[in-house]
Amino acid sequence: MNVLIGGAWPYANGSLHLGHVAALLPGDILARYYRLKGERVLYVSGSDCNGTPISIRANQENTTVTAIADRYHTEFLQCFNELGFTYDLYTRTDASHHHKAVQNIFLKLLENGFLFKKRIEQAYCTVDNQFLPDRFVEGTCPNCGAKARGDQCDNCSTILDPLDLKDKTCKICGNEPEIRETEHYYYEFSHFQQQLENFVNEASIEGRWRENAVQLTKRYLTEGLPDRAVTRDLPNGISVPVDGFEGKKIYVWIEAVAGYYTASLEWAKQNGKDVSEWWNEEAVSYYIHGKDNIPFHTVIWPAILMGLGQEGLPTHIVSNEYLTLEKRKLSTSQNWAVWVPEILKDYDPDSIRYFLTINAPENRDADFSWREFIYSHNSELLGAFANFVNRTLKFIAKSFNHKVPQAKVNNSIKLDVENLYAKVGEHIESGEMKQAIEAIFNFIRTSNRYFDEEQPWTTVNNQIEKCEETLATCVYIIQNLAQLLHPFLPFGCEKIRQMLGTSLNGWVEVADLPTELNNVEPLYERIDVKKIEEELQKLEEASKRI
Ligand SMILES: [Zn+2]
Ligand SMILES: [Zn+2]
């Protein structure tokens, strides 16, 4: 089976925060799982490096668009790497392969007759010498009178055209923009209305999409799809490859989402593979993103693929709800966020992955609090998982001189482990990461009880055979945990395999026990609970500094 996994493309205009990781982490869990299962996985993503916010920032800092994009792209790569993300290709939208491939897509849509030209009026700032993107026109909402952005009013949720706003100002310089005529290409989304309705209904019946994606997509389709402009007068981005459109760029509507395909093309080229193996009707595809990105992946991108006649429509949509921070909405502008480069300095990536999976915002918003984070590390990751591994292996190191007793493994536990592979696999494939890891941790708690009840520290003195069976069973559990948890906690699992001298074997139960242990070391460190107050204080202070 071929499995394409597409992680959403973070915008290269600022650092990643935990909200990004909460949305993107299911992608890496899927990729690690399917590879372990032996499927042909292609996991792609990249940095979104085009668009007006980056060029404004470049102007403010008196530097170039490329310099800003480079800075954050490099930082993203480092963060994903430290978090253990295993992208096959993590690229960027200012790469020339992406530009060329998107231009080809544009020309193909033109050739297929789904793009048409239209003259429209748009806000133009004579101070900044540019047409303003919708979000860069601000003013008063004509509907409710509140202050609003050109794309929508946050107060009354009305979708706006920037020209509808009263008292319009340019977000960049604050002056009043003038209205100028310009010509753009529109994509005939309305042509695909019926096809998209069938597409969402089928996904919904088969339960392949998250419920939030089904609901939102149906709402959009009920309201009716308007044709949308797919070119813009923008300072940077991908040039429209048509005479008479010099200086105009292909708009993010079709450009960034096309990255899943262009990155696949580039990876296939670099690795001598045939891209169509991941882009056909039989291939499975997972799209991983936060709920604010749902329509891009369930309406816009499928409509583009339909217009291209390209097989490989999204099969699975894994769209997490939001992560809040200490019960408040995350806000980058108010600096109410936990930044990924910061948290990685002081905490184990497995602790972050564990917390954001067991508390994943899968069906409703979930909260990150420093108290919960540190307690979940100390009591569950360390207290249940690492403790079970440590007490077993230390006992063998001390009482059996590192030799693993080659005794019979408890039958009922063997059965539990076999069942666990099936159950956890099903949950992961359905995008239910929280239930998957809960099932494993329930089993770990049972395993700790087993250790307690068997009392190997007593039987070692008077019932050596029983003691050996207990420990053989515990090592058997541990070597299987190092596989079952590999998609979730890759760093701890790697440490276990080093201590056992084993390697990854596949998504199947491993029965053969290792013979001798290497150096036994703790999997994780305890976190001092004093850190809770320190982190809270840091957070408060940072949010006051802006
Ligand atoms: Zn309003
Ligand atoms: Zn201006």
Side-chain angles (χ1 to χ4, degrees), residues 141 143-146 153 155-156 158:
C141 170
N143 186 47
C144 72
C153 172
N155 189 46
C156 69
T158 305

Side-chain angles (χ1 to χ4, degrees), residues 388 391-397 399-400 403-409 450-451 454 456-457 459-460 464-478 513:
F388 180 74
R391 69 201 296 206
T392 303
L393 301 187
K394 267 207 153 144
F395 194 90
I396 293 172
S399 302
F400 291 84
K403 303 272 188 302
V404 178
Q406 302 293 308
K408 193 175 170 305
V409 170
Y450 171 77
F451 191 98
E454 292 288 303
W457 59 91
T459 56
V460 72
I464 193 68
E465 273 179 28
K466 184 166 191 248
C467 180
E468 288 182 356
E469 272 182 32
T470 306
L471 293 169
T473 300
C474 290
V475 170
Y476 164 85
I477 293 171
I478 292 167
L513 298 176

Side-chain angles (χ1 to χ4, degrees), residues 125-128 132 170-175:
C125 177
T126 51
V127 179
D128 295 304
L132 297 173
C170 163
K171 187 183 169 172
I172 310 168
C173 69
N175 289 294

